[in-house]
mmCIF file of all heavy atoms in Angstrom:
data_model
loop_
_atom_site.group_PDB
_atom_site.id
_atom_site.type_symbol
_atom_site.label_atom_id
_atom_site.label_comp_id
_atom_site.label_asym_id
_atom_site.label_seq_id
_atom_site.Cartn_x
_atom_site.Cartn_y
_atom_site.Cartn_z
ATOM 1 N N ASN A 157 -44.122 73.380 34.547
ATOM 2 C CA ASN A 157 -43.077 74.355 34.205
ATOM 3 C C ASN A 157 -42.419 73.982 32.880
ATOM 4 O O ASN A 157 -41.250 73.565 32.837
ATOM 5 C CB ASN A 157 -42.022 74.405 35.317
ATOM 6 C CG ASN A 157 -42.598 74.759 36.673
ATOM 7 O OD1 ASN A 157 -42.747 75.921 37.019
ATOM 8 N ND2 ASN A 157 -42.927 73.724 37.441
ATOM 9 N N PRO A 158 -43.167 74.110 31.767
ATOM 10 C CA PRO A 158 -42.645 73.659 30.459
ATOM 11 C C PRO A 158 -41.373 74.386 30.027
ATOM 12 O O PRO A 158 -40.480 73.773 29.434
ATOM 13 C CB PRO A 158 -43.801 73.931 29.494
ATOM 14 C CG PRO A 158 -44.673 74.937 30.197
ATOM 15 C CD PRO A 158 -44.518 74.671 31.643
ATOM 16 N N GLN A 159 -41.269 75.694 30.326
ATOM 17 C CA GLN A 159 -40.063 76.437 29.917
ATOM 18 C C GLN A 159 -38.839 75.958 30.691
ATOM 19 O O GLN A 159 -37.760 75.749 30.103
ATOM 20 C CB GLN A 159 -40.280 77.940 30.128
ATOM 21 C CG GLN A 159 -41.297 78.554 29.170
ATOM 22 C CD GLN A 159 -41.423 80.055 29.358
ATOM 23 O OE1 GLN A 159 -41.147 80.585 30.444
ATOM 24 N NE2 GLN A 159 -41.840 80.752 28.320
ATOM 25 N N ASP A 160 -38.997 75.782 31.999
ATOM 26 C CA ASP A 160 -37.883 75.271 32.802
ATOM 27 C C ASP A 160 -37.511 73.859 32.370
ATOM 28 O O ASP A 160 -36.331 73.499 32.324
ATOM 29 C CB ASP A 160 -38.246 75.273 34.296
ATOM 30 C CG ASP A 160 -38.234 76.676 34.890
ATOM 31 O OD1 ASP A 160 -37.720 77.595 34.222
ATOM 32 O OD2 ASP A 160 -38.738 76.853 36.019
ATOM 33 N N ALA A 161 -38.514 73.048 32.058
ATOM 34 C CA ALA A 161 -38.261 71.673 31.621
ATOM 35 C C ALA A 161 -37.438 71.653 30.334
ATOM 36 O O ALA A 161 -36.520 70.836 30.177
ATOM 37 C CB ALA A 161 -39.579 70.938 31.429
ATOM 38 N N GLN A 162 -37.751 72.586 29.410
ATOM 39 C CA GLN A 162 -36.993 72.674 28.151
ATOM 40 C C GLN A 162 -35.536 73.054 28.426
ATOM 41 O O GLN A 162 -34.608 72.473 27.853
ATOM 42 C CB GLN A 162 -37.641 73.726 27.236
ATOM 43 C CG GLN A 162 -38.974 73.334 26.657
ATOM 44 C CD GLN A 162 -38.855 72.356 25.493
ATOM 45 O OE1 GLN A 162 -37.780 72.166 24.950
ATOM 46 N NE2 GLN A 162 -39.956 71.718 25.147
ATOM 47 N N LYS A 163 -35.338 74.018 29.329
ATOM 48 C CA LYS A 163 -33.974 74.440 29.675
ATOM 49 C C LYS A 163 -33.176 73.289 30.279
ATOM 50 O O LYS A 163 -32.012 73.066 29.942
ATOM 51 C CB LYS A 163 -34.014 75.599 30.679
ATOM 52 C CG LYS A 163 -34.500 76.931 30.131
ATOM 53 C CD LYS A 163 -34.482 77.955 31.257
ATOM 54 C CE LYS A 163 -35.143 79.257 30.870
ATOM 55 N NZ LYS A 163 -35.186 80.201 32.012
ATOM 56 N N ILE A 164 -33.831 72.562 31.199
ATOM 57 C CA ILE A 164 -33.157 71.439 31.867
ATOM 58 C C ILE A 164 -32.784 70.373 30.848
ATOM 59 O O ILE A 164 -31.654 69.862 30.836
ATOM 60 C CB ILE A 164 -34.071 70.848 32.965
ATOM 61 C CG1 ILE A 164 -34.270 71.857 34.100
ATOM 62 C CG2 ILE A 164 -33.488 69.547 33.513
ATOM 63 C CD1 ILE A 164 -35.385 71.492 35.068
ATOM 64 N N ALA A 165 -33.748 70.028 29.974
ATOM 65 C CA ALA A 165 -33.512 68.984 28.977
ATOM 66 C C ALA A 165 -32.358 69.355 28.049
ATOM 67 O O ALA A 165 -31.483 68.530 27.759
ATOM 68 C CB ALA A 165 -34.784 68.750 28.163
ATOM 69 N N GLU A 166 -32.358 70.606 27.588
ATOM 70 C CA GLU A 166 -31.294 71.048 26.677
ATOM 71 C C GLU A 166 -29.930 71.033 27.357
ATOM 72 O O GLU A 166 -28.927 70.616 26.768
ATOM 73 C CB GLU A 166 -31.615 72.451 26.150
ATOM 74 C CG GLU A 166 -32.764 72.452 25.141
ATOM 75 C CD GLU A 166 -33.276 73.863 24.841
ATOM 76 O OE1 GLU A 166 -32.626 74.835 25.301
ATOM 77 O OE2 GLU A 166 -34.313 73.985 24.170
ATOM 78 N N GLN A 167 -29.881 71.470 28.638
ATOM 79 C CA GLN A 167 -28.606 71.501 29.354
ATOM 80 C C GLN A 167 -28.079 70.081 29.606
ATOM 81 O O GLN A 167 -26.885 69.814 29.465
ATOM 82 C CB GLN A 167 -28.758 72.239 30.683
ATOM 83 C CG GLN A 167 -27.456 72.430 31.456
ATOM 84 C CD GLN A 167 -26.425 73.240 30.691
ATOM 85 O OE1 GLN A 167 -26.715 74.326 30.195
ATOM 86 N NE2 GLN A 167 -25.216 72.701 30.579
ATOM 87 N N VAL A 168 -28.980 69.177 29.960
ATOM 88 C CA VAL A 168 -28.569 67.785 30.217
ATOM 89 C C VAL A 168 -28.046 67.144 28.931
ATOM 90 O O VAL A 168 -27.039 66.419 28.951
ATOM 91 C CB VAL A 168 -29.744 66.981 30.804
ATOM 92 C CG1 VAL A 168 -29.440 65.489 30.819
ATOM 93 C CG2 VAL A 168 -30.062 67.457 32.211
ATOM 94 N N LEU A 169 -28.711 67.409 27.804
ATOM 95 C CA LEU A 169 -28.243 66.857 26.528
ATOM 96 C C LEU A 169 -26.908 67.466 26.113
ATOM 97 O O LEU A 169 -26.050 66.782 25.543
ATOM 98 C CB LEU A 169 -29.303 67.081 25.444
ATOM 99 C CG LEU A 169 -30.535 66.182 25.540
ATOM 100 C CD1 LEU A 169 -31.574 66.592 24.506
ATOM 101 C CD2 LEU A 169 -30.151 64.717 25.351
ATOM 102 N N ILE A 170 -26.727 68.756 26.405
ATOM 103 C CA ILE A 170 -25.420 69.384 26.137
ATOM 104 C C ILE A 170 -24.326 68.688 26.948
ATOM 105 O O ILE A 170 -23.244 68.375 26.426
ATOM 106 C CB ILE A 170 -25.467 70.897 26.471
ATOM 107 C CG1 ILE A 170 -26.297 71.652 25.426
ATOM 108 C CG2 ILE A 170 -24.048 71.486 26.549
ATOM 109 C CD1 ILE A 170 -26.586 73.089 25.791
ATOM 110 N N ASN A 171 -24.628 68.449 28.217
ATOM 111 C CA ASN A 171 -23.656 67.760 29.080
ATOM 112 C C ASN A 171 -23.334 66.367 28.551
ATOM 113 O O ASN A 171 -22.175 65.945 28.531
ATOM 114 C CB ASN A 171 -24.194 67.646 30.503
ATOM 115 C CG ASN A 171 -24.351 68.989 31.186
ATOM 116 O OD1 ASN A 171 -23.780 69.984 30.763
ATOM 117 N ND2 ASN A 171 -25.127 69.023 32.255
ATOM 118 N N LYS A 172 -24.393 65.665 28.133
ATOM 119 C CA LYS A 172 -24.226 64.290 27.634
ATOM 120 C C LYS A 172 -23.381 64.273 26.358
ATOM 121 O O LYS A 172 -22.419 63.491 26.234
ATOM 122 C CB LYS A 172 -25.599 63.680 27.380
ATOM 123 C CG LYS A 172 -25.574 62.311 26.716
ATOM 124 C CD LYS A 172 -26.973 61.843 26.416
ATOM 125 C CE LYS A 172 -26.957 60.512 25.676
ATOM 126 N NZ LYS A 172 -26.353 60.622 24.329
ATOM 127 N N ARG A 173 -23.738 65.103 25.406
ATOM 128 C CA ARG A 173 -23.051 65.085 24.106
ATOM 129 C C ARG A 173 -21.615 65.595 24.209
ATOM 130 O O ARG A 173 -20.722 65.092 23.529
ATOM 131 C CB ARG A 173 -23.852 65.900 23.085
ATOM 132 C CG ARG A 173 -25.145 65.192 22.678
ATOM 133 C CD ARG A 173 -26.162 66.101 22.036
ATOM 134 N NE ARG A 173 -27.416 65.371 21.784
ATOM 135 C CZ ARG A 173 -28.567 65.959 21.493
ATOM 136 N NH1 ARG A 173 -28.657 67.290 21.437
ATOM 137 N NH2 ARG A 173 -29.647 65.227 21.274
ATOM 138 N N SER A 174 -21.390 66.584 25.087
ATOM 139 C CA SER A 174 -20.019 67.062 25.277
ATOM 140 C C SER A 174 -19.169 65.995 25.954
ATOM 141 O O SER A 174 -17.990 65.816 25.624
ATOM 142 C CB SER A 174 -20.001 68.354 26.098
ATOM 143 O OG SER A 174 -20.529 68.141 27.388
ATOM 144 N N ARG A 175 -19.785 65.237 26.883
ATOM 145 C CA ARG A 175 -19.050 64.139 27.538
ATOM 146 C C ARG A 175 -18.689 63.056 26.529
ATOM 147 O O ARG A 175 -17.556 62.556 26.511
ATOM 148 C CB ARG A 175 -19.911 63.544 28.658
ATOM 149 C CG ARG A 175 -19.295 62.339 29.341
ATOM 150 C CD ARG A 175 -20.173 61.804 30.459
ATOM 151 N NE ARG A 175 -21.515 61.450 30.027
ATOM 152 C CZ ARG A 175 -21.822 60.301 29.423
ATOM 153 N NH1 ARG A 175 -20.884 59.409 29.166
ATOM 154 N NH2 ARG A 175 -23.071 60.053 29.077
ATOM 155 N N GLU A 176 -19.654 62.699 25.665
ATOM 156 C CA GLU A 176 -19.393 61.659 24.664
ATOM 157 C C GLU A 176 -18.350 62.110 23.651
ATOM 158 O O GLU A 176 -17.484 61.329 23.239
ATOM 159 C CB GLU A 176 -20.700 61.290 23.957
ATOM 160 C CG GLU A 176 -21.688 60.565 24.857
ATOM 161 C CD GLU A 176 -23.045 60.368 24.215
ATOM 162 O OE1 GLU A 176 -23.357 61.091 23.239
ATOM 163 O OE2 GLU A 176 -23.809 59.514 24.701
ATOM 164 N N THR A 177 -18.412 63.386 23.258
ATOM 165 C CA THR A 177 -17.410 63.924 22.321
ATOM 166 C C THR A 177 -16.020 63.904 22.949
ATOM 167 O O THR A 177 -15.038 63.525 22.313
ATOM 168 C CB THR A 177 -17.782 65.359 21.911
ATOM 169 O OG1 THR A 177 -19.088 65.368 21.331
ATOM 170 C CG2 THR A 177 -16.777 65.914 20.900
ATOM 171 N N ALA A 178 -15.956 64.314 24.215
ATOM 172 C CA ALA A 178 -14.669 64.316 24.922
ATOM 173 C C ALA A 178 -14.110 62.901 25.045
ATOM 174 O O ALA A 178 -12.898 62.682 24.896
ATOM 175 C CB ALA A 178 -14.839 64.946 26.303
ATOM 176 N N GLU A 179 -14.997 61.925 25.289
ATOM 177 C CA GLU A 179 -14.555 60.531 25.413
ATOM 178 C C GLU A 179 -14.035 60.002 24.077
ATOM 179 O O GLU A 179 -13.016 59.304 24.028
ATOM 180 C CB GLU A 179 -15.721 59.677 25.920
ATOM 181 C CG GLU A 179 -15.389 58.216 26.136
ATOM 182 C CD GLU A 179 -14.358 57.970 27.203
ATOM 183 O OE1 GLU A 179 -14.081 58.886 28.009
ATOM 184 O OE2 GLU A 179 -13.791 56.863 27.228
ATOM 185 N N ARG A 180 -14.734 60.338 22.987
ATOM 186 C CA ARG A 180 -14.266 59.909 21.650
ATOM 187 C C ARG A 180 -12.914 60.528 21.328
ATOM 188 O O ARG A 180 -12.024 59.873 20.795
ATOM 189 C CB ARG A 180 -15.298 60.286 20.581
ATOM 190 C CG ARG A 180 -16.508 59.377 20.538
ATOM 191 C CD ARG A 180 -17.285 59.561 19.253
ATOM 192 N NE ARG A 180 -17.816 60.918 19.137
ATOM 193 C CZ ARG A 180 -19.020 61.283 19.583
ATOM 194 N NH1 ARG A 180 -19.809 60.390 20.180
ATOM 195 N NH2 ARG A 180 -19.438 62.524 19.429
ATOM 196 N N THR A 181 -12.788 61.815 21.656
ATOM 197 C CA THR A 181 -11.511 62.503 21.411
ATOM 198 C C THR A 181 -10.390 61.855 22.220
ATOM 199 O O THR A 181 -9.289 61.641 21.716
ATOM 200 C CB THR A 181 -11.638 63.998 21.791
ATOM 201 O OG1 THR A 181 -12.719 64.581 21.064
ATOM 202 C CG2 THR A 181 -10.354 64.743 21.483
ATOM 203 N N ARG A 182 -10.698 61.517 23.475
ATOM 204 C CA ARG A 182 -9.685 60.882 24.323
ATOM 205 C C ARG A 182 -9.234 59.548 23.742
ATOM 206 O O ARG A 182 -8.035 59.248 23.687
ATOM 207 C CB ARG A 182 -10.252 60.669 25.725
ATOM 208 C CG ARG A 182 -9.250 60.128 26.737
ATOM 209 C CD ARG A 182 -9.923 59.842 28.078
ATOM 210 N NE ARG A 182 -10.770 58.676 28.012
ATOM 211 C CZ ARG A 182 -10.335 57.419 28.120
ATOM 212 N NH1 ARG A 182 -9.052 57.175 28.291
ATOM 213 N NH2 ARG A 182 -11.168 56.406 28.056
ATOM 214 N N LEU A 183 -10.212 58.733 23.289
ATOM 215 C CA LEU A 183 -9.876 57.425 22.734
ATOM 216 C C LEU A 183 -9.090 57.545 21.434
ATOM 217 O O LEU A 183 -8.168 56.761 21.175
ATOM 218 C CB LEU A 183 -11.159 56.611 22.510
ATOM 219 C CG LEU A 183 -11.896 56.177 23.776
ATOM 220 C CD1 LEU A 183 -13.229 55.517 23.429
ATOM 221 C CD2 LEU A 183 -11.039 55.227 24.605
ATOM 222 N N ASN A 184 -9.460 58.545 20.593
ATOM 223 C CA ASN A 184 -8.737 58.750 19.328
ATOM 224 C C ASN A 184 -7.290 59.157 19.575
ATOM 225 O O ASN A 184 -6.369 58.672 18.908
ATOM 226 C CB ASN A 184 -9.441 59.807 18.473
ATOM 227 C CG ASN A 184 -10.755 59.306 17.899
ATOM 228 O OD1 ASN A 184 -10.950 58.088 17.760
ATOM 229 N ND2 ASN A 184 -11.658 60.219 17.584
ATOM 230 N N ILE A 185 -7.091 60.080 20.528
ATOM 231 C CA ILE A 185 -5.729 60.507 20.858
ATOM 232 C C ILE A 185 -4.938 59.346 21.446
ATOM 233 O O ILE A 185 -3.757 59.139 21.111
ATOM 234 C CB ILE A 185 -5.763 61.700 21.843
ATOM 235 C CG1 ILE A 185 -6.341 62.941 21.157
ATOM 236 C CG2 ILE A 185 -4.366 61.998 22.389
ATOM 237 C CD1 ILE A 185 -6.579 64.115 22.082
ATOM 238 N N LYS A 186 -5.590 58.542 22.287
ATOM 239 C CA LYS A 186 -4.925 57.382 22.881
ATOM 240 C C LYS A 186 -4.512 56.384 21.802
ATOM 241 O O LYS A 186 -3.400 55.834 21.825
ATOM 242 C CB LYS A 186 -5.878 56.714 23.878
ATOM 243 C CG LYS A 186 -5.277 55.545 24.632
ATOM 244 C CD LYS A 186 -6.280 54.953 25.602
ATOM 245 C CE LYS A 186 -5.682 53.748 26.335
ATOM 246 N NZ LYS A 186 -6.659 53.146 27.274
ATOM 247 N N LYS A 187 -5.414 56.176 20.826
ATOM 248 C CA LYS A 187 -5.112 55.251 19.731
ATOM 249 C C LYS A 187 -3.955 55.763 18.883
ATOM 250 O O LYS A 187 -3.059 55.014 18.477
ATOM 251 C CB LYS A 187 -6.370 55.087 18.871
ATOM 252 C CG LYS A 187 -6.274 54.036 17.794
ATOM 253 C CD LYS A 187 -7.611 53.905 17.082
ATOM 254 C CE LYS A 187 -7.514 52.860 15.966
ATOM 255 N NZ LYS A 187 -8.796 52.727 15.237
ATOM 256 N N LYS A 188 -3.972 57.085 18.651
ATOM 257 C CA LYS A 188 -2.911 57.696 17.836
ATOM 258 C C LYS A 188 -1.560 57.595 18.534
ATOM 259 O O LYS A 188 -0.544 57.257 17.916
ATOM 260 C CB LYS A 188 -3.267 59.158 17.586
ATOM 261 C CG LYS A 188 -2.304 59.892 16.653
ATOM 262 C CD LYS A 188 -2.787 61.315 16.424
ATOM 263 C CE LYS A 188 -1.809 62.061 15.509
ATOM 264 N NZ LYS A 188 -2.231 63.458 15.299
ATOM 265 N N LEU A 189 -1.562 57.912 19.832
ATOM 266 C CA LEU A 189 -0.307 57.850 20.586
ATOM 267 C C LEU A 189 0.184 56.420 20.743
ATOM 268 O O LEU A 189 1.382 56.165 20.818
ATOM 269 C CB LEU A 189 -0.498 58.495 21.964
ATOM 270 C CG LEU A 189 -0.758 60.003 21.967
ATOM 271 C CD1 LEU A 189 -1.097 60.475 23.374
ATOM 272 C CD2 LEU A 189 0.441 60.769 21.436
ATOM 273 N N SER A 190 -0.752 55.467 20.797
ATOM 274 C CA SER A 190 -0.365 54.057 20.940
ATOM 275 C C SER A 190 0.202 53.486 19.655
ATOM 276 O O SER A 190 0.812 52.419 19.669
ATOM 277 C CB SER A 190 -1.575 53.221 21.362
ATOM 278 O OG SER A 190 -2.084 53.665 22.592
ATOM 279 N N GLY A 191 -0.015 54.193 18.541
ATOM 280 C CA GLY A 191 0.467 53.697 17.253
ATOM 281 C C GLY A 191 1.968 53.518 17.192
ATOM 282 O O GLY A 191 2.485 52.699 16.439
ATOM 283 N N SER A 192 2.697 54.293 17.959
ATOM 284 C CA SER A 192 4.153 54.212 17.956
ATOM 285 C C SER A 192 4.676 53.053 18.791
ATOM 286 O O SER A 192 5.856 52.739 18.763
ATOM 287 C CB SER A 192 4.753 55.521 18.476
ATOM 288 O OG SER A 192 4.287 55.769 19.794
ATOM 289 N N MET A 193 3.777 52.395 19.542
ATOM 290 C CA MET A 193 4.200 51.271 20.382
ATOM 291 C C MET A 193 4.261 50.002 19.551
ATOM 292 O O MET A 193 3.712 49.926 18.450
ATOM 293 C CB MET A 193 3.230 51.096 21.554
ATOM 294 C CG MET A 193 3.195 52.308 22.473
ATOM 295 S SD MET A 193 1.889 52.196 23.695
ATOM 296 C CE MET A 193 2.529 50.884 24.720
ATOM 297 N N ASP A 194 4.926 48.992 20.046
ATOM 298 C CA ASP A 194 5.087 47.763 19.262
ATOM 299 C C ASP A 194 3.789 46.962 19.211
ATOM 300 O O ASP A 194 2.827 47.229 19.922
ATOM 301 C CB ASP A 194 6.241 46.911 19.800
ATOM 302 C CG ASP A 194 6.001 46.448 21.233
ATOM 303 O OD1 ASP A 194 4.828 46.407 21.642
ATOM 304 O OD2 ASP A 194 6.983 46.140 21.929
ATOM 305 N N ILE A 195 3.791 45.958 18.354
ATOM 306 C CA ILE A 195 2.577 45.200 18.044
ATOM 307 C C ILE A 195 2.001 44.485 19.257
ATOM 308 O O ILE A 195 0.790 44.318 19.387
ATOM 309 C CB ILE A 195 2.866 44.200 16.896
ATOM 310 C CG1 ILE A 195 1.541 43.590 16.392
ATOM 311 C CG2 ILE A 195 3.842 43.125 17.336
ATOM 312 C CD1 ILE A 195 1.703 42.774 15.126
ATOM 313 N N SER A 196 2.869 44.071 20.183
ATOM 314 C CA SER A 196 2.388 43.297 21.332
ATOM 315 C C SER A 196 1.473 44.113 22.237
ATOM 316 O O SER A 196 0.649 43.578 22.949
ATOM 317 C CB SER A 196 3.577 42.761 22.145
ATOM 318 O OG SER A 196 4.335 43.829 22.672
ATOM 319 N N ASN A 197 1.590 45.451 22.207
ATOM 320 C CA ASN A 197 0.731 46.313 23.008
ATOM 321 C C ASN A 197 -0.551 46.690 22.278
ATOM 322 O O ASN A 197 -1.511 47.119 22.892
ATOM 323 C CB ASN A 197 1.476 47.588 23.406
ATOM 324 C CG ASN A 197 2.549 47.319 24.441
ATOM 325 O OD1 ASN A 197 2.308 46.675 25.441
ATOM 326 N ND2 ASN A 197 3.758 47.786 24.184
#
């Protein structure tokens, strides 16, 4: 089922890349918000 396999592969990669993008965004926002905290944190 080559056509179904292509659909599955593309959807899984979309899920993977969107998850990684969301994680990077989360870490960037966390870093930005943490900037106002003192040096010990």
Side-chain angles (χ1 to χ4, degrees):
N157 302 274
Q159 291 183 335
D160 286 347
Q162 289 283 346
K163 289 180 189 176
I164 293 167
E166 288 168 8
Q167 185 61 51
V168 169
L169 286 174
I170 288 171
N171 294 342
K172 174 184 177 295
R173 289 162 185 165
S174 62
R175 176 179 57 81
E176 291 172 341
T177 303
E179 182 64 16
R180 283 195 297 269
T181 304
R182 185 184 72 82
L183 292 174
N184 289 337
I185 293 173
K186 184 179 178 181
K187 187 176 179 181
K188 185 177 179 182
L189 293 173
S190 300
S192 59
M193 298 171 70
D194 62 23
I195 190 171
S196 63
N197 289 311

